[in-house]
Amino acid sequence: MKAGILYPASKQYPAGGVQFCEGIKKATRSTGIALSWESVDHGGSEDVVVKAAEKLFIINEVEVLVAFLDYRVLEKLSALAGSLSKQVLVVNPGANYPLNWQNPAWENLSFLTLQQAFSCYLSGSRAAQVPPTTLMGMLYDAGYLQTYAFDRGINEHGGEITAQYYSKDFGLRPLNDAAAIGQFLQAHQPLSVGLTADAQSGYFFCKAMADAGYTHNVYGSPMLAEWKAEPGEVTAWP
């Protein structure tokens, strides 16, 4: 069997596409599936997506396509897959809010999405058992679906959110201001923290909380476990 992979690039999370590809390689290592790869740049152009998919379908003769894409760039890909009678599995971590919550009528597309959002919802439901809770994280992540899912998980399971702490910088700066975090925790006295952060910023965030003397429960988003960050790996951050 031949499978094609469409993988994205990201300025904010440059390791994302690499991790996606490495995960597929490991998962299919002993299956005999032959893999072909094409980048779709940042995944925001339908024309770029369709051109990469055409190459995999026609030149590489893949039977199924696995595409790391958002809903908004799938219309032309669906038409292409339908015309060639090919199947596409669309995967993404579930960060963006859907443009339409109704399932689109794309017969050749299947979806494996919302994993991160669902995991944040589950973490929120666990944090609800240890109220009051403070939500903490990066401003960049605050506008995505994970933070909303965390909020819903807490509120729908009887929890209480007393405060929210997010970086004022839109970029991915490490949240390692122990003094500011310490003052915030002292002022609000949460018994649990819902932390929305990736592994890199999460490393510094958790260290800052420990330095501030916070010893209660931290319920993390799944991004925290993606890979281990060492201090030397992020010294070049802005």
Side-chain angles (χ1 to χ4, degrees), residues 5 18 25-26 46 69 71 89 104 114 116 125 136 140 148 161 191 199 226-227:
I5 314 298
V18 175
K25 287 179 182 178
K26 292 179 180 179
E46 280 196 277
L69 298 169
Y71 282 81
L89 175 61
L114 300 181
Q116 286 187 359
S125 69
M136 306 180 79
Y140 179 83
Y148 173 78
I161 300 174
L191 294 181
E226 287 180 352
W227 57 279

Side-chain angles (χ1 to χ4, degrees), residues 93-95 97 101 114-126 135 141-157 161 166 196 221-222:
Y97 288 88
W101 287 99
L114 300 181
Q115 298 98 317
Q116 286 187 359
F118 182 61
S119 295
C120 286
Y121 179 84
L122 293 179
S123 290
S125 69
R126 294 289 298 276
L135 288 181
D141 286 328
Y144 283 88
L145 189 57
Q146 294 99 324
T147 303
Y148 173 78
F150 236 124
D151 179 282
R152 291 298 84 205
I154 293 170
N155 282 286
E156 291 179 6
H157 289 82
I161 300 174
Y166 288 95
T196 306
S221 59

Side-chain angles (χ1 to χ4, degrees), residues 210-235:
D211 291 344
Y214 181 82
T215 58
H216 296 304
N217 301 280
V218 176
Y219 296 89
S221 59
M223 299 85 78
L224 279 172
E226 287 180 352
W227 57 279
K228 184 178 180 181
E230 300 293 343
E233 294 178 325
V234 290
T235 54

